[in-house]
Amino acid sequence: MRRTLVCLGILVLAGTTALSAQRRERERERCRRYGDGHVVICDRDRDRDRRPGRDWDRGGPWRDRGPVEFGIRGGYDFEDGQGSVGTQVRIPLIRQFAVSPSFDAFLGDNGAAWQANLDGLIRPRALGGLYGGGGLAVLRRDFDGLGDQDTSVGWNLVAGIEGNRVARSALRPFAEARWTGVEDFDGFRLVAGVNVPVSGLGR
């Protein structure tokens, strides 16, 4: 009887140890890295943030899709011969597609005053940092040359390239070409700037 109890005790201890090891293995963080490895997403953190009431306060819906990025940029419009400064946000919907609202103010006295955009951007993984897309443009400009500015809606086409993170910072440089068509106006602009992640870090 004593030998049986000892054997049962050993089996229970071995089973408990095995279950504990399995639990530790399941809880081990399995991390994947986006881009060049500076953005780290861990399965345990992602599962935690999927609990009810935690998705939106920690960016849960975006974790598998890359970080939301905010950027600043400057450019030059070749049609009106004036510079521009602007901002943008890139919101990933899936890993290789993002929606990007942006706004640019023009610095010259003639031509356009400002332009707002809502573009969809595709970045195929096989092409590295190259991306392209297009969308909606809202342009404030003197279209008829009479001195009165009007606001009108048109289209954009975009082609660009993103670089790697600068040194150990979160800054990612980019450059793009943008074609805009609004009424009888066809503009071409070169833009360059930097993006920085505003979600997906430090969790």
Side-chain angles (χ1 to χ4, degrees):
M1 184 66 178
R2 182 179 297 175
R3 182 178 298 176
T4 301
L5 291 176
V6 170
C7 290
L8 287 174
I10 293 174
L11 289 174
V12 170
L13 180 61
T16 303
T17 303
L19 289 174
S20 178
Q22 290 178 0
R23 184 175 62 183
R24 287 196 301 270
E25 183 66 24
R26 287 195 302 267
E27 290 179 351
R28 182 177 299 169
E29 293 183 354
R30 299 181 300 278
C31 297
R32 295 183 299 277
R33 299 178 182 273
Y34 287 103
D36 56 0
H38 286 273
V39 180
V40 181
I41 306 300
C42 297
D43 290 345
R44 187 169 67 181
D45 290 339
R46 186 192 65 234
D47 294 339
R48 175 196 64 198
D49 291 333
R50 283 179 175 173
R51 292 197 302 241
R54 299 188 66 102
D55 278 350
W56 294 107
D57 60 350
R58 289 183 176 269
W62 311 116
R63 280 187 175 273
D64 284 339
R65 304 161 187 176
V68 176
E69 294 183 315
F70 172 80
I72 58 173
R73 64 194 194 184
Y76 185 80
D77 187 285
F78 288 87
E79 181 66 22
D80 287 333
Q82 59 183 357
S84 65
V85 293
T87 62
Q88 64 186 28
V89 178
R90 291 187 180 177
I91 305 170
L93 299 185
I94 58 176
R95 188 170 297 180
Q96 300 180 52
F97 179 78
V99 172
S100 181
S102 61
F103 181 85
D104 296 284
F106 295 94
L107 306 177
D109 295 329
N110 299 316
W114 55 262
Q115 181 175 330
N117 311 286
L118 181 61
D119 299 311
L121 302 177
I122 301 173
R123 182 181 175 180
R125 186 180 305 174
L127 298 182
L130 295 175
Y131 63 89
L136 182 70
V138 180
L139 183 63
R140 179 72 174 177
R141 188 180 186 276
D142 177 11
F143 292 99
D144 54 16
L146 300 178
D148 295 327
Q149 291 194 337
D150 298 309
T151 302
S152 191
V153 177
W155 52 266
N156 291 313
L157 289 177
V158 180
I161 184 170
E162 285 185 319
N164 293 325
R165 303 289 180 192
V166 177
R168 295 180 178 273
S169 73
L171 298 177
R172 185 191 296 275
F174 71 93
E176 69 181 35
R178 177 177 294 270
W179 293 265
T180 298
V182 180
E183 296 186 5
D184 295 331
F185 172 78
D186 292 318
F188 173 70
R189 183 157 33 112
L190 292 178
V191 175
V194 292
N195 290 316
V196 61
V198 294
S199 73
L201 291 174
R203 295 183 173 86

